[in-house]
């Protein structure tokens, strides 16, 4: 059993699926966990259930809809005020949309939630990550292999103007998660901040219920055959432990428990840098 006694972990999308399972496991390992959820009601329900399953767990709720940058910024400020450090950041919240939708900041909703919100949150917590153990687990997907951030200008994709399908938008956002991880490891490895990305498995979670697109309908049919979210939760916990602290491992990608190579585009350093610089400009932060 992992021992993360006293470590401070922030988990996004913590009320459901992989994030909920990871939260429970981090609590059982002794971490102090901050659950970031967009619905107070769903978040509180999950928190109550986690506490009743693990009495004495140190866990609390922060409510923020990550689709909107102003709300992510307020979340980051609240966390930065309250905490003296962050040891583990699990960027897990994710959406899949079958129709093009725009975020309040004018980005395609999948890109805004799955990539940009986590890019922003990580930067808002950067000083705290540097002070703490400073380890980030970005929950990506094998779908990153279908991602293509070269099919049009990245800004066109990010704004939804190159919309092809929900699957393409999801895959692009998951490719962005992997590129963010490698660039983060490259830029901040010498400052004690490490990062890994993860495919948590093909799991029976609510992500397949989020819309009525054909792939979601198909996946819902197969849900009874899928593993439960705990497979992903355990993979997150394992990566929240020490392996990712090794500079050799930082920046790598795991398919559940196994370290594997990423898609060729995810290994494109120029693309990673371009996405980073654009993301930094879009969130309006002075990042290096
Ligand atoms: N399930 C799979 O087979 C699979 C495979 C590969 C990768 N993944 C990845 O695993 C991660 C977790 O997904 P899951 O499968 O556990 O699905 P899930 O059960 O639907 O969980 C997604 C979580 O993200 C939260 N979320 C969505 N939009 C948000 C927003 N705007 N602001 C704040 N929170 C938001 C959801 O909150 P609500 O409850 O309010 O909706 C929920 O807590 C995602 O990044 C997904 O891409 C999943």
């Amino acid at each position: 059993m992992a021992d993360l006694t006293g470590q401070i972990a922030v988990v996004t999308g913590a009320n459901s699926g992989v994030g909920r399972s990871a939260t429970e496991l981090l609590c059982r390992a002794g971490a102090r966990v901050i659950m970031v959820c967009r619905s107070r009601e769903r978040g509180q329900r999950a928190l109550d259930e986690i506490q009743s399953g693990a009495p004495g767990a140190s866990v609390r709720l922060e409510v923020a809809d990550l689709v909107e940058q102003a709300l992510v910024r307020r979340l980051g400020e609240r966390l930065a005020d309250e905490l003296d450090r962050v040891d583990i950041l699990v960027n897990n919240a994710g959406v899949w949309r079958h129709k093009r939708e725009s975020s309040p900041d004018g980005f395609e909703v999948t890109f805004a939630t799955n990539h940009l919100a986590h890019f922003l949150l990580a930067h808002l917590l950067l000083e705290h990550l540097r002070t703490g153990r400073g380890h980030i687990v970005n929950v990506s997907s094998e779908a990153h292999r279908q991602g293509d951030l070269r099919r049009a200008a990245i800004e066109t994709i990010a704004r939804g103007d190159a919309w092809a399908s929900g699957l393409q938008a999801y895959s692009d956002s998951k490719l962005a998660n992997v590129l963010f991880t490698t660039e983060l490891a490259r830029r901040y490895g010498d400052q004690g901040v490490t990062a890994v990305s993860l495919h948590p498995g093909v799991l029976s979670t609510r992500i397949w219920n989020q819309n009525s697109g054909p792939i979601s309908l198909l996946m819902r049919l197969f849900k009874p055959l899928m593993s439960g979210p705990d497979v992903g939760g355990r993979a997150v916990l394992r990566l929240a432990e020490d392996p990712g602290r090794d500079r050799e491992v930082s920046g790598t990608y795991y398919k559940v428990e196994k370290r594997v190579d990423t898609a060729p585009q995810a290994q494109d350093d120029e693309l990673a840098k371009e996405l980073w610089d654009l993301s930094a400009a879009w969130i309006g932060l002075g990042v290096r």
Side-chain angles (χ1 to χ4, degrees), residues 148-154 157 175 265 268-272 274:
D148 184 1
L149 293 173
R150 289 272 188 221
R151 65 196 163 82
I154 299 180
I157 295 171
L175 173 61
Q265 219 177 86
D268 181 336
D269 292 345
E270 280 306 306
L271 185 62
E274 196 185 337

Side-chain angles (χ1 to χ4, degrees), residues 22-281:
T23 299
E24 281 176 1
L25 293 169
L26 286 162
C27 285
R28 286 204 197 119
R32 174 179 158 201
V33 185
I34 290 112
M35 302 170 65
V36 176
C37 303
R38 78 173 138 182
S39 150
R40 181 169 298 283
E41 193 194 338
R42 285 193 292 278
Q44 189 62 48
R45 200 180 316 132
L47 186 145
D48 291 344
E49 287 167 10
I50 289 167
Q51 276 182 325
S52 67
S58 176
V59 54
R60 68 166 202 82
L61 175 64
E62 273 291 343
V63 177
D65 188 335
L66 301 177
V67 78
E68 185 171 349
Q69 287 186 22
L71 302 182
V72 180
R73 218 167 260 118
R74 267 182 249 154
L75 165 73
E77 285 161 9
R78 288 197 302 274
L79 292 175
D81 279 352
E82 175 206 334
L83 304 171
D84 60 356
R85 65 178 201 283
V86 173
D87 298 302
I88 300 161
L89 171 61
V90 183
N91 286 325
N92 161 78
V95 288
W96 172 303
R97 291 276 178 270
H98 83 287
K99 283 196 187 126
R100 177 187 160 182
E101 289 167 57
S102 275
S103 76
D105 307 294
F107 294 93
E108 189 279 315
V109 159
T110 322
F111 188 88
T113 310
N114 297 5
H115 167 63
L116 219 42
H118 291 119
F119 184 90
L120 175 54
L121 183 60
H123 281 94
L124 293 167
L125 296 178
L126 203 54
E127 285 309 316
H128 286 63
L129 285 157
R130 282 196 188 113
T131 307
R133 191 171 151 260
H135 186 50
I136 301 176
V137 179
N138 287 321
V139 181
S140 176
S141 168
E142 277 291 275
H144 87 271
R145 297 184 193 282
Q146 279 76 53
D148 184 1
L149 293 173
R150 289 272 188 221
R151 65 196 163 82
I154 299 180
E155 173 134 22
T156 312
I157 295 171
R159 302 272 179 196
D161 296 333
W163 176 269
S165 66
L167 176 60
Q168 190 62 55
Y170 179 77
S171 304
D172 292 344
S173 74
K174 294 288 134 182
L175 173 61
N177 293 155
V178 180
L179 290 164
F180 171 43
T181 306
T182 49
E183 190 63 10
L184 190 66
R186 195 183 69 72
R187 292 189 188 224
Y188 292 106
D190 61 353
Q191 297 182 36
V193 177
T194 49
V196 286
S197 56
L198 165 74
H199 166 71
V202 178
L203 308 170
S204 169
T205 68
R206 285 177 47 241
I207 202 159
W208 310 117
N209 298 41
Q210 284 176 4
N211 61 64
S212 56
I215 293 176
S216 295
L217 290 174
L218 185 71
M219 295 305 269
R220 256 181 264 168
L221 281 178
F222 284 100
K223 261 181 109 172
L225 304 176
M226 294 177 189
S227 304
D230 284 354
V231 168
R234 281 195 295 273
V236 170
L237 180 71
R238 206 182 70 80
L239 289 176
E241 296 175 83
D242 272 340
R245 292 289 297 153
D246 184 341
R247 285 282 300 278
E248 296 280 300
V249 174
S250 187
T252 60
Y253 170 81
Y254 283 75
K255 187 175 174 185
V256 195
E257 302 273 317
K258 194 165 178 255
R259 187 170 147 185
V260 298
D261 285 342
T262 52
Q265 219 177 86
Q267 298 174 34
D268 181 336
D269 292 345
E270 280 306 306
L271 185 62
K273 186 176 178 315
E274 196 185 337
L275 176 67
W276 181 286
D277 290 343
L278 286 167
S279 302

